[in-house]
């Protein structure tokens, strides 16, 4: 079995305009891989090229150069799609069809045997909590309801790999909670998930890996824990140790007063002198301060990475 | 094959569920029935007028169905319906054939309803049986849907969204009167279909039967043309970026 469910190598995409030689460069030499079994968050500001990448993976858009492999097959392989679930960025389906009919069409296209089809459709409708709307036409659905149907059609075939473009968009707080549960359940079943999102708190909660993209360039990719842990250290100062506090306060990046009257100061990793100074103080008076690796919030990490990048 | 039928059935369900379709069919039949009132205009030839009107209206209905296809394909591409379908194990060529089949079936149902309605009105008005020729000519209108819908698919993927329906109308209109196009040898029956092959209004009016062999041959020609137009469409469509 392949190690990686998605392998993207040197992918570039230039959208050509009709009457101009210069197009829009949406992706520039992108290389990412997604290991089997992971939940991978694909992040980046608007226009970073997330949708473009995802559409190339689904062979809806042809890359200018480079190649993409899904489940070990080139992205243009038609049969491999039987093993993938996909949610497009703005799900739109034939308005005159009812939810159940639409899912039935999808099930047929996914080559689910006819004797299992009804059961599979009902199960998917149930999973996304849309069973009571199964007989209503899609044209009458709200944005979030369509999103739910979109998720339902993506999980119909019990896919090995889920590729979702902004699955949280348009969902209410309940919907977001349910969606996260669906993803966690899918991961337990062994499904790998690759999705783009702007809701960083949710990404932090469910993803084990991320990649950040800006203007078509990859800024970073890797395990979430490692990326966030590498960002600095926290120093907790015992209440009453004002001398230590005053000495360190000026160099700290951030300071938070603790409920017990002490302080938590955060320091960046990239200042060896400062780190040395903290270590020395710790040796001098071990009770005055406690050092721990700080885990940055994904949101802070995202802003820092995107703003520091010069692309 | 199953994929093609699935796409096609989605298409015809979508169209045949619109109430406006049946309203238009009813309007067409009212127009056919009103031919009986035009005794002055038709100088006593109400029967012939009615046959002619029913055929013209049926051809227009077929054309409208094809035009709706040239609206629908770009709309599905723009709104992302196509990308949902194409993310399933479905080839792009299969998608196009499915759309074409869907259009042919939709058109056939609508045209058959108009034809049967016309026969009924004709029978009620003149108390005459429906001749073979009248049946044949309406059948040819339905068969003309084969090359016409292939042409619609071709224009829908080849041309920008707003232009496709307009060009389709113009081309189909001229293709029905190829005397005009006959001067342009490359176009005539070549890139553009010679839809005049399916037009036998004169025969219908004067009740001159058409040889069944001809109907068969012209059907074969329609299928060949459809294969040609669809291959051309798929060459373009395979390379297209889908929103
Ligand atoms: N069909 C298109 N034609 C021309 N340019 C396009 C097209 N689609 C996208 N682009 C351009 O490609 C770039 C990347 O777009 P893309 O949709 O991939 O971004 P995204 O990361 O999905 O953004 P968002 O977070 O807003 O969804 C943008 O600069 C956009 O303008
Ligand atoms: Mg996007």
């Amino acid at each position: 079995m392949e190690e990686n469910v998605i392998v993207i190598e040197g992918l570039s995409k230039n959208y050509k305009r009709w009457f101009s030689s210069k197009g829009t460069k949406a992706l520039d030499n992108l290389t990412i891989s997604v290991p089997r079994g992971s939940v991978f968050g694909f992040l980046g500001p608007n226009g970073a090229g997330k949708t473009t990448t995802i559409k190339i993976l689904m062979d809806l858009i042809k890359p200018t150069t480079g190649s993409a492999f899904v489940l070990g097959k080139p992205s243009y392989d038609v049969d491999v799609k039987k093993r993938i679930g996909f949610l497009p960025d703005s799900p739109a389906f034939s308005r005159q069809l009812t939810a159940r009919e639409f899912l039935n069409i999808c099930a047929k296209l996914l080559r689910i045997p006819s004797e299992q089809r009804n059961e599979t459709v009902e199960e998917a409708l149930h999973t996304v909590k849309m069973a009571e709307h199964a007989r209503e036409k899609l044209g009458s659905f709200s944005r979030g309801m369509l999103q739910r149907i979109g998720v339902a059609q993506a999980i119909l075939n019990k896919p090995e790999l889920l590729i979702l473009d902004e699955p949280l968009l348009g969902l209410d707080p309940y919907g977001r909670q349910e969606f996260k549960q669906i993803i966690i359940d899918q991961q337990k079943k062994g499904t790998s998930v690759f999705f783009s999102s702007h809701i960083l708190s949710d990404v932090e909660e469910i993803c084990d890996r991320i990649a950040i993209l800006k203007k078509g360039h990859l800024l970073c990719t890797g395990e979430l824990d490692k990326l966030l842990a590498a960002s600095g250290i926290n120093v907790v100062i015992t209440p009453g140790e004002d001398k230590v506090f005053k000495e360190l306060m000026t160099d700290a990046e951030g300071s938070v007063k603790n409920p017990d009257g002490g302080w938590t100061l955060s320091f960046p990793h990239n200042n060896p002198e400062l780190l040395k100074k903290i270590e020395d103080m710790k040796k001098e008076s071990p009770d005055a301060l406690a050092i721990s690796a700080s885990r940055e919030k994904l949101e802070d990490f995202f802003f820092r990475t995107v703003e520091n990048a010069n692309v | 094959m199953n994929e093609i039928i699935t796409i096609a059935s989605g298409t015809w369900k979508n169209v045949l569920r619109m109430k406006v379709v049946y309203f238009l069919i009813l309007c067409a039949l009212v127009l056919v029935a009103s031919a009986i009132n035009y005794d002055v205009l038709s100088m006593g030839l109400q029967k012939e007028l009615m046959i002619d009107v029913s055929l013209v209206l049926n051809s227009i209905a077929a054309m409208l169905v094809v035009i709706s296809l040239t609206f629908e394909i770009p709309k599905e591409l723009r709104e992302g319906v196509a990308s949902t379908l194409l993310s399933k194990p479905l080839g792009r060529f299969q998608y196009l054939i499915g759309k074409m089949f869907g259009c042919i079936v939709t058109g056939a149902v609508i045209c058959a309803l108009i034809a049967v309605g016309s026969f009924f009105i004709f029978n009620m008005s003149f108390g005459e049986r429906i001749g073979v020729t009248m049946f044949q000519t309406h059948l040819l209108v339905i068969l003309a849907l084969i090359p016409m819908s292939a042409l619609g698919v071709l224009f829908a993927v080849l041309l920008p969204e707003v232009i496709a329906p307009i060009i389709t109308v113009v081309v189909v209109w001229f293709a029905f009167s190829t005397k005009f196009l006959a001067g342009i040898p490359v176009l005539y029956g070549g890139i553009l279909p010679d839809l005049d092959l399916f037009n036998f209004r004169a025969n219908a009016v004067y009740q001159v039967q058409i040889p069944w062999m001809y109907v068969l041959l012209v059907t074969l020609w329609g299928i060949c043309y459809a294969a040609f137009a669809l291959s051309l469409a798929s060459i373009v469509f395979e390379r297209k970026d889908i929103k």
Side-chain angles (χ1 to χ4, degrees), chain A residues 139-176:
Chain A
S140 68
F141 279 8
S142 71
R143 177 83 176 73
M145 288 161 90
L146 279 178
Q147 193 82 14
R148 283 164 187 261
I149 295 299
V151 173
Q153 60 87 33
I155 58 174
L156 268 183
N157 52 338
K158 311 208 164 49
E160 284 170 52
L161 169 64
L162 271 171
I163 298 180
L164 314 166
D165 199 353
E166 298 199 25
L168 297 164
L169 197 72
L171 293 182
D172 61 22
Y174 296 103
R176 268 170 58 189

Side-chain angles (χ1 to χ4, degrees), chain A residues 11-200:
Chain A
L11 204 64
S12 299
K13 175 68 190 177
N14 213 350
Y15 284 107
K16 289 190 198 69
R17 297 249 167 69
W18 264 49
F19 295 105
S20 113
S21 53
K22 216 170 137 272
T24 314
K25 194 143 192 125
L27 284 182
D28 195 0
N29 201 9
L30 181 70
T31 299
I32 315 181
S33 54
V34 178
R36 183 173 285 274
S38 57
V39 176
F40 195 105
F42 195 40
L43 314 176
N46 292 131
K50 303 182 293 296
T51 300
T52 305
T53 311
I54 287 176
K55 292 212 156 151
I56 290 174
L57 288 175
M58 295 310 295
D59 193 39
L60 296 167
I61 287 180
K62 307 286 175 181
T64 310
T65 59
S67 51
F69 296 88
V70 278
L71 300 172
K73 297 270 166 25
S75 58
Y76 50 80
D77 188 291
V78 172
D79 285 326
V80 77
K81 302 216 170 83
K82 211 163 50 184
R83 297 151 62 200
I84 303 177
F86 170 63
L87 176 71
D89 58 344
S90 51
F93 317 115
S94 313
R95 301 174 57 82
Q96 297 286 333
L97 298 178
T98 68
R100 187 176 279 133
E101 279 170 337
F102 170 71
L103 290 178
N104 243 307
I105 287 182
C106 291
K108 276 186 201 161
L109 289 176
L110 287 162
R111 303 179 200 162
I112 295 172
S114 56
E115 61 273 14
Q116 295 169 21
R117 222 176 277 148
N118 284 340
E119 197 188 326
T120 315
V121 167
E122 294 315 313
E123 201 184 302
L125 278 167
H126 195 76
T127 308
V128 297
K129 301 223 158 65
M130 288 294 286
E132 58 185 305
H133 301 286
R135 295 165 63 118
E136 291 167 29
K137 285 190 182 168
L138 296 174
S140 68
F141 279 8
S142 71
R143 177 83 176 73
M145 288 161 90
L146 279 178
Q147 193 82 14
R148 283 164 187 261
I149 295 299
V151 173
Q153 60 87 33
I155 58 174
L156 268 183
N157 52 338
K158 311 208 164 49
E160 284 170 52
L161 169 64
L162 271 171
I163 298 180
L164 314 166
D165 199 353
E166 298 199 25
L168 297 164
L169 197 72
L171 293 182
D172 61 22
Y174 296 103
R176 268 170 58 189
Q177 208 60 46
E178 286 156 20
F179 172 79
K180 282 187 272 184
Q181 197 51 52
I182 291 174
I183 294 295
I184 292 166
D185 291 345
Q186 289 287 328
Q187 193 191 19
K188 278 186 195 144
K189 288 182 200 158
T191 309
S192 317
V193 185
F194 180 81
F195 75 102
S196 73
S197 180
H198 292 297
I199 303 178
L200 298 175

Side-chain angles (χ1 to χ4, degrees), chain B residues 15-36:
Chain B
V15 177
L16 293 178
R17 274 192 194 160
M18 288 190 246
K19 292 182 190 76
V20 64
V21 168
Y22 300 96
F23 177 72
L24 288 177
I25 293 176
L26 206 68
C27 287
L29 290 177
V30 168
L31 279 173
V32 171
S34 64
I36 198 139

Side-chain angles (χ1 to χ4, degrees), chain B residues 211-225:
Chain B
W212 281 107
M213 195 61 196
Y214 177 87
V215 177
L216 183 70
L217 284 177
V218 86
T219 308
L220 285 178
W221 180 87
I223 292 171
C224 289
Y225 179 83

